[in-house]
Amino acid sequence: MEIPQTHSAQQDWPQLDFPAWQDSCATLHLWTQIIGKIRLLHMPWTNHSWHVPLYVSVRGLTTSLIACKPMSFEIEFDFIAHRLLIQIASGAQIALPLRSQSVAAFYREVTAALHALGIEAGIRTMPCELPDATPFDQDESHCAYDPEYVNRFWRALLQSTRVLNAFRARYLGKCSPVHFFWGSFDLAVTRFSGRAAPPHPGGVPNLPDWVAREAYSHEVSSCGFWPGNAGFPHASYYAYAYPEPQGYAQAKVPPDAHYDSALREFLLPYEAVRTAPDPDALLLDFLESTYAAAAALGDWDRKTLER
């Protein structure tokens, strides 16, 4: 048996220059929304929209098992073989190639494959959390797919998931899974204080205000990884608190991190983590220091909530 070579440290934390793959990133964002909305259609509502995210897998991003009638199924983006795999519990499956094609073409292919397998595919075609969005079935402009950079993005998600899971394990209170929200296109984990929060103001593009208010119904300290977008073209780790306690923006964090007053979040460049002597230590320091600021300034019951 031939044993594949392991990656070097540089490969484990791959370079992720947003401008080099921004068109592919925008297209992939919309493709994940299509698959995420299929999961949303078939899953029972769970608090804080925990029934809608995707999850990082050993090959890409997956819906995980969607257990429903008349049949259970799973959809996975495979960023190694570059295919979308739709599998049902009976053993039948359809694989669609991931390649440069429009969002509308991808939507048609996915819908046809689901119909062939007997799975309902009647999703709402308007993208979420994006201003000036075009319905999936009409979007012919987003059509890029760079397999090299998509694979790099997935590898960055793998590393981020590993460290975020280590951070999550240190908390005894209510905490989300480490999951990938296709609306905002970010990997996230959220800790809760257990207390109710003031109503969220809403105003997220193409997202009902009641969804945002339910998501932020209780006090949170949230963090994660985001590849960037056209308005902020830098892959970054982020952290924020809702509601934001007084003095949070002045919290002591690692030197490479800073508070962005426009986003109302702390940001740590992915590049700083990737090139650090100990990427895990730097990222954990960022996650712990931003949480500690939210919990201390927000008067959380830390003795009860922390391991």
Side-chain angles (χ1 to χ4, degrees):
M1 180 178 67
E2 182 179 351
I3 300 175
Q5 293 182 349
T6 58
H7 289 301
S8 69
Q10 285 292 94
Q11 290 175 316
D12 286 341
W13 292 86
Q15 184 179 11
L16 198 62
D17 181 23
F18 180 80
W21 80 296
Q22 60 180 340
D23 292 340
S24 293
C25 184
T27 301
L28 183 62
H29 185 177
L30 293 163
W31 289 358
T32 62
Q33 291 215 7
I34 293 170
I35 302 307
K37 286 195 173 201
I38 293 165
R39 182 169 192 248
L40 168 62
L41 177 67
H42 291 276
M43 293 291 288
W45 185 275
T46 307
N47 56 193
H48 318 299
S49 295
W50 291 358
H51 60 300
V52 305
L54 304 178
Y55 302 92
V56 179
S57 73
V58 295
R59 298 186 70 90
L61 287 169
T62 178
T63 60
S64 72
L65 175 67
I66 300 175
C68 64
K69 292 183 177 180
M71 65 192 70
S72 298
F73 65 100
E74 179 178 0
I75 306 176
E76 182 178 33
F77 286 95
D78 181 342
F79 297 140
I80 297 175
H82 299 286
R83 63 179 185 165
L84 183 80
L85 184 62
I86 306 171
Q87 304 178 83
I88 61 175
S90 68
Q93 65 180 41
I94 293 178
L96 303 173
L98 296 177
R99 62 192 189 282
S100 295
Q101 64 174 333
S102 70
V103 171
F106 179 83
Y107 172 77
R108 289 191 295 269
E109 285 193 356
V110 170
T111 301
L114 292 172
H115 284 160
L117 293 169
I119 300 169
E120 182 185 354
I123 64 173
R124 184 173 180 268
T125 59
M126 182 60 71
C128 295
E129 301 186 48
L130 292 171
D132 304 318
T134 302
F136 303 132
D137 56 345
Q138 301 173 29
D139 189 344
E140 301 287 352
S141 62
H142 293 96
C143 55
Y145 186 81
D146 184 329
E148 168 62 26
Y149 265 92
V150 170
N151 180 270
R152 291 187 191 190
F153 174 55
W154 161 68
R155 282 156 45 206
L157 289 175
L158 279 176
Q159 295 294 340
S160 302
T161 298
R162 180 178 55 78
V163 179
L164 288 171
N165 270 320
F167 171 72
R168 179 182 185 270
R170 301 176 179 182
Y171 199 67
L172 296 176
K174 178 178 176 178
C175 189
S176 78
V178 177
H179 45 199
F180 186 85
F181 278 105
W182 40 264
S184 47
F185 206 59
D186 66 313
L187 188 69
V189 63
T190 301
R191 293 177 172 184
F192 292 77
S193 75
R195 299 191 303 243
H200 191 277
V204 180
N206 290 306
L207 187 75
D209 287 348
W210 70 265
V211 175
R213 291 185 180 123
E214 194 278 334
Y216 290 99
S217 61
H218 289 71
E219 293 178 342
V220 301
S221 174
S222 192
C223 57
F225 169 72
W226 181 56
N229 63 17
F232 188 86
H234 308 284
S236 300
Y237 294 94
Y238 67 84
Y240 65 88
Y242 182 81
E244 183 180 305
Q246 186 174 4
Y248 179 71
Q250 289 74 48
K252 184 179 180 181
V253 294
D256 289 309
H258 71 281
Y259 183 82
D260 187 294
S261 57
L263 296 175
R264 298 185 66 83
E265 298 178 353
F266 282 101
L267 298 175
L268 174 65
Y270 169 77
E271 184 66 11
V273 174
R274 184 184 78 84
T275 58
D278 188 340
D280 288 28
L282 174 57
L283 180 52
L284 281 169
D285 186 15
F286 174 74
L287 301 174
E288 290 287 0
S289 61
T290 51
Y291 159 72
L297 296 170
D299 196 27
W300 290 24
D301 184 4
R302 299 183 66 182
K303 288 184 179 180
T304 300
L305 296 172
E306 297 172 12
R307 187 180 297 279

